[in-house]
Amino acid sequence: CTYLSVVLSLGFSMFAFDCSGSGVSDGDYVTLGWREAYDLLVVVAHLKSQADVGPVGVWGHSMGAASVIYYQAFSQGRWPTLDACVLDSPYSDFSVLARHLVSSNAVLTGGANLAQYLSTFTIAQTALQLVLDSIDASVQKIVGVSPLVDLSPVSRVHLCAAPALFLQARNDRIISMQHVEELANKYAGPRKLAIIDGTHSSPRNGAARKFVALYLKKHIKLPPDQRYPSTRPKDAYLLESLPWTKRGPL
């Protein structure tokens, strides 16, 4: 796991989870980050309640990145704060994303979701609004969320304050540069935007991991008694394997 090696090499701990309806978690539906923000709340609140847990950063990809934006927007001082976040390939607005997926007929990998459903359509733009209205009504009836009204992270980033590193992959056919740039430009807190190699779902390479590692190291300060020994290998976060993995013949 390349991301685990980054986190552990910095001396941090990692809590990884699948939101409801994704991965191995229970649930039949996803809401592209809206309700997933409440899953994140459960996790962050649990971590903050532990005596041996200090600063908390969040690393989210795609829908997970959107959930971090919604988390901050919904919180407004009522939920535990985040010390830093990495927002890898978040979408800015569902309507914009839907029109892009329909026009490009892009194919998503992973579990079934709204965007994957939309990627199967090839229709004239004049008919697209009718399709979106129909989907919006159906989704609202089933899960109580209106994609066309609610699913717009860009309308809420002005409520976000945690330091954020936005990532955009050069060959991402799902989330265009327009999404990530607009989010970064309107984000209220300190933010950086990095353009990295790869596709929407490809593992991030060494250069990207190094950039993330340096960013997290800057914004997540460990207490002196919890810092990683200074004898760790230089650029340990670039390792493909975990920090304790033995290399070479046994």
Side-chain angles (χ1 to χ4, degrees), residues 42-198:
V42 172
V43 171
V44 175
H46 167 73
L47 293 175
K48 289 284 191 176
S49 71
Q50 306 303 303
D52 58 348
V53 173
V56 172
V58 180
W59 189 339
H61 175 260
S62 194
M63 181 181 73
S67 71
V68 180
I69 294 173
Y70 288 129
Y71 175 95
Q72 296 184 75
F74 296 164
S75 171
Q76 293 305 288
R78 297 177 294 114
W79 296 355
T81 57
L82 304 177
D83 294 277
C85 53
V86 178
L87 305 177
D88 188 344
S89 310
Y91 72 95
S92 63
D93 183 85
F94 173 80
S95 179
V96 174
L97 175 62
R99 293 176 188 279
H100 166 71
L101 292 176
V102 170
S103 62
S104 65
N105 201 25
V107 178
L108 293 178
T109 59
N113 55 49
L114 289 172
Q116 187 176 31
Y117 175 68
L118 279 166
S119 70
T120 62
F121 282 94
T122 302
I123 60 175
Q125 288 295 316
T126 52
L128 178 56
Q129 191 59 49
L130 294 176
V131 174
L132 292 179
D133 288 342
S134 176
I135 293 175
D136 186 78
S138 298
V139 172
Q140 192 166 7
K141 181 178 180 180
I142 295 172
V143 299
V145 176
S146 168
L148 298 182
V149 175
D150 298 325
L151 301 186
S152 181
V154 73
S155 68
R156 300 173 189 277
V157 288
H158 68 283
L159 300 172
C160 300
L165 171 60
F166 288 86
L167 299 179
Q168 168 67 30
R170 298 182 195 278
N171 298 316
D172 192 331
R173 295 179 55 228
I174 308 302
I175 303 298
S176 67
M177 178 66 70
Q178 171 190 350
H179 287 270
V180 183
E181 281 190 337
E182 186 176 15
L183 286 168
N185 288 336
K186 295 184 178 180
Y187 193 87
R191 75 280 192 193
K192 285 185 177 293
L193 170 61
I195 310 302
I196 60 177
D197 291 329

Side-chain angles (χ1 to χ4, degrees), residues 182-218:
E182 186 176 15
L183 286 168
N185 288 336
K186 295 184 178 180
Y187 193 87
R191 75 280 192 193
K192 285 185 177 293
L193 170 61
I195 310 302
I196 60 177
D197 291 329
T199 64
H200 183 71
S201 55
S202 63
R204 299 319 184 200
N205 64 15
R209 295 198 305 275
K210 179 177 181 179
F211 201 93
V212 171
L214 294 175
Y215 189 84
L216 292 177
K217 184 178 181 180
K218 176 182 178 181

